[in-house]
Amino acid sequence: MKKMLSTTLFILSMLAFVSACIAKDKLFCSSQILANRTDIGFTWTVVSRLSETLKNAEQRYGERDLSWTLLGVEFSDLKQPEVWYPFIKDNRKHIIIQLTKSASKNEKEALFQLSHEVIHLLSPSGPKGSSVFEEGLASYFSIINLQKLNYDINPNYISEKKYRQAYQLIADLYKNFDQTEVKIKQLRHQTEKMSDITPEQFTKAFPGLGKENAILLAKKYSEWDVK
Ligand SMILES: [Zn+2]
């Protein structure tokens, strides 16, 4: 009886393995999802990479807002990655990072998307939407975090022109001012959400930034028309 049970369990587990690796459209067979046991733990997946990426983001830009509960990372059939607030209408501050289907089979793309979305975790803007500054910082961090992980990557990897321009606004802050990250941390202490930082606050933190740029950084990303 015991032997029969263990044989059945063995066959079932083999079947589960086979179906996970054949039914690629239903269950992705990917190293981004499947954690393989190693001598010291498990292979990296997007979930374990999230810890490292979040640590890097918090070191640079300050702690995340702990009133939000991060539920995890999932893959969706959307064209763009995003953070999703699944129960916001019930006033539950829960958040899910959604990466694209193509990222489930491409480690570099998955980490690139994950790094971008991690910046949105620091102070989730909710349905109000994020500012040009927040999207720029997310785009900037997605490049420097992958470079830190030894990926060959440069800003041209950012496919959308608008995100590339947002990236450039933050790259210019780094280029033109000292202690940019200290200043960003200080700015974050002045508002509840990163996307609520005002043009006046940007000008005070970065003297010489120019009124036009300060207004642009504070603008809602969705309201920004890129020429
Ligand atoms: Zn974003």
Side-chain angles (χ1 to χ4, degrees), residues 5-21:
L5 185 66
S6 61
T7 308
T8 311
L9 282 174
F10 175 75
I11 291 168
L12 281 175
S13 64
M14 284 308 289
L15 279 174
F17 178 77
V18 168
S19 67
C21 284

Side-chain angles (χ1 to χ4, degrees), residues 4 42 44 50 58 66 68 99 105 131 156 194 216:
M4 220 174 103
F42 288 90
W44 286 107
L50 176 60
E58 288 186 313
L66 294 171
W68 287 84
L99 307 182
K105 293 166 191 165
S131 64
N156 292 330
M194 190 189 292
L216 177 57

Side-chain angles (χ1 to χ4, degrees), residues 80-83 113 116-117 119-120 130-131 134-136 138-139 163 221:
Q80 297 268 354
E82 63 168 30
V83 287
Q113 293 183 3
H116 180 111
E117 298 310 321
I119 294 298
H120 295 314
S130 51
S131 64
E134 183 168 340
E135 292 301 340
S139 303
Y163 282 111
Y221 187 74

Side-chain angles (χ1 to χ4, degrees), residues 31-213:
S31 62
Q32 303 314 301
I33 303 162
L34 192 66
N36 286 306
R37 190 180 278 284
T38 67
D39 290 345
I40 53 165
F42 288 90
T43 53
W44 286 107
T45 63
V46 281
V47 175
S48 45
R49 282 287 187 200
L50 176 60
S51 171
E52 196 69 4
T53 300
L54 188 55
K55 188 194 82 183
N56 292 344
E58 288 186 313
Q59 274 176 350
R60 286 174 183 274
Y61 308 121
E63 258 202 9
R64 80 176 180 95
D65 178 352
L66 294 171
S67 71
W68 287 84
T69 302
L70 174 64
L71 297 177
V73 183
E74 66 187 16
F75 292 87
S76 80
D77 59 2
L78 298 177
K79 285 208 165 65
Q80 297 268 354
E82 63 168 30
V83 287
W84 183 43
Y85 312 101
F87 306 105
I88 196 76
K89 64 177 186 336
D90 303 327
N91 291 322
R92 262 182 274 168
K93 293 172 83 176
H94 287 177
I95 192 162
I96 293 175
I97 292 180
Q98 290 187 323
L99 307 182
T100 64
K101 191 174 170 180
S102 63
S104 74
K105 293 166 191 165
N106 181 328
E107 186 174 308
K108 183 177 178 180
E109 194 181 350
L111 293 178
F112 171 76
Q113 293 183 3
L114 186 75
S115 304
H116 180 111
E117 298 310 321
V118 156
I119 294 298
H120 295 314
L121 282 189
L122 296 180
S123 56
S125 55
K128 270 173 65 184
S130 51
S131 64
V132 171
F133 172 73
E134 183 168 340
E135 292 301 340
L137 195 66
S139 303
Y140 187 83
F141 180 70
S142 63
I143 298 294
I144 58 170
N145 192 48
L146 261 72
Q147 286 170 343
K148 193 174 180 222
L149 293 170
N150 288 323
Y151 281 89
D152 181 17
I153 192 167
N154 66 53
N156 292 330
Y157 192 79
I158 303 169
S159 56
E160 226 183 88
K161 183 181 167 193
K162 191 172 168 182
Y163 282 111
R164 270 204 312 275
Q165 292 202 6
Y167 163 95
Q168 195 54 49
L169 292 171
I170 304 301
D172 288 346
L173 286 183
Y174 272 86
K175 197 174 96 192
N176 298 328
F177 298 95
D178 292 331
Q179 296 195 300
T180 302
E181 291 176 359
V182 174
K183 286 170 179 161
I184 291 174
K185 273 187 191 168
Q186 288 167 349
L187 279 169
R188 285 200 55 218
H189 280 127
Q190 294 169 32
T191 54
E192 192 192 332
K193 293 176 191 303
M194 190 189 292
S195 279
D196 292 340
I197 301 171
T198 64
E200 294 71 29
Q201 287 169 325
F202 280 122
T203 311
K204 210 171 162 195
F206 300 105
L209 173 66
K211 200 177 165 192
E212 226 172 81
N213 273 345

